[in-house]
Amino acid sequence: RTCFFCSLPATLQACLGGQQCSYLSKEVVTTKMPDSTLIAEWAVVHHLGAVDDTMNASFSETCVQPGDVHLLPYGAAAVRIKPVEEEPRGGQLCCRGIVTSRCGNTCAWLNGAFAWSARELPLPAEGQSAPSKEQQWNRLLLEGPMAESMRSLVLHCTDLVLEHRLDTSRYFA
């Protein structure tokens, strides 16, 4: 089995050189709760890199300047495929670094190399003329690797529906 992180380029310049790495895997996760154990199948997509030349130039500029953000353009998304019966529709979403009341029993999960500021995820305001480097980075991350990870998950789940391995009601949950 191929490991996403094992297949990454060895240098920062190679990661930012326009190369994209994307990886879809099936993971089985066991969650022990006080009164039961839940074994769930998750579809996970990892994505590293910009989705176009403009975004790649922006990531490169933000990432390699002294005193700047120094994060990799990485995003991941996951969705629980099975078991269906044990999860009510409209389950919760869990983002890394954002605490939710039931983060361990969520139906979807997001992870990215976001730039955090005082426990906040800084994003540029609509029409903001001079966003900070952290705000620029987070916007690019959401529009690039995070969006690409989510797109790949939607396509994967669509394939599962077409193959009759995922019920349409679960697909739209």
Side-chain angles (χ1 to χ4, degrees):
R1 173 175 148 167
T2 305
C3 170
F4 172 75
F5 296 102
C6 298
S7 66
L8 294 177
T11 66
L12 176 63
Q13 288 72 25
C15 287
L16 297 173
Q19 179 179 351
Q20 290 187 57
C21 303
S22 201
Y23 179 69
L24 169 70
S25 68
K26 177 182 94 169
E27 302 293 331
V28 176
V29 178
T30 303
T31 305
K32 295 188 186 250
M33 295 178 245
D35 56 346
S36 66
T37 299
L38 174 67
I39 298 174
E41 177 185 325
W42 288 73
V44 182
V45 176
H46 299 274
H47 187 85
L48 175 72
V51 295
D52 60 33
D53 290 339
T54 303
M55 186 173 286
N56 189 57
S58 296
F59 274 137
S60 295
E61 182 181 304
T62 304
C63 196
V64 298
Q65 299 301 318
D68 287 342
V69 178
H70 296 289
L71 296 169
L72 290 177
Y74 166 78
V79 65
R80 192 165 75 190
I81 303 296
K82 296 176 185 173
V84 176
E85 313 77 34
E86 297 181 31
E87 179 188 332
R89 290 179 66 169
Q92 294 186 3
L93 177 71
C94 182
C95 292
R96 185 185 119 221
I98 300 172
V99 179
T100 63
S101 60
R102 293 178 44 209
C103 201
N105 194 29
T106 58
C107 66
W109 174 84
L110 300 173
N111 186 11
F114 292 105
W116 290 89
S117 173
R119 295 184 157 247
E120 291 183 342
L121 181 63
L123 292 169
E126 190 72 32
Q128 184 176 352
S129 61
S132 70
K133 289 205 182 246
E134 289 83 5
Q135 291 172 325
Q136 292 174 40
W137 175 268
N138 290 336
R139 181 184 55 79
L140 288 170
L141 193 68
L142 287 170
E143 292 173 355
M146 297 301 298
E148 187 62 28
S149 295
M150 292 297 294
R151 183 188 74 82
S152 296
L153 261 186
V154 169
L155 292 174
H156 173 69
C157 290
T158 301
D159 287 344
L160 291 178
V161 170
L162 294 173
E163 296 168 2
H164 303 289
R165 296 185 330 169
L166 184 66
D167 187 86
T168 54
S169 63
R170 174 71 181 110
Y171 179 82
F172 289 108

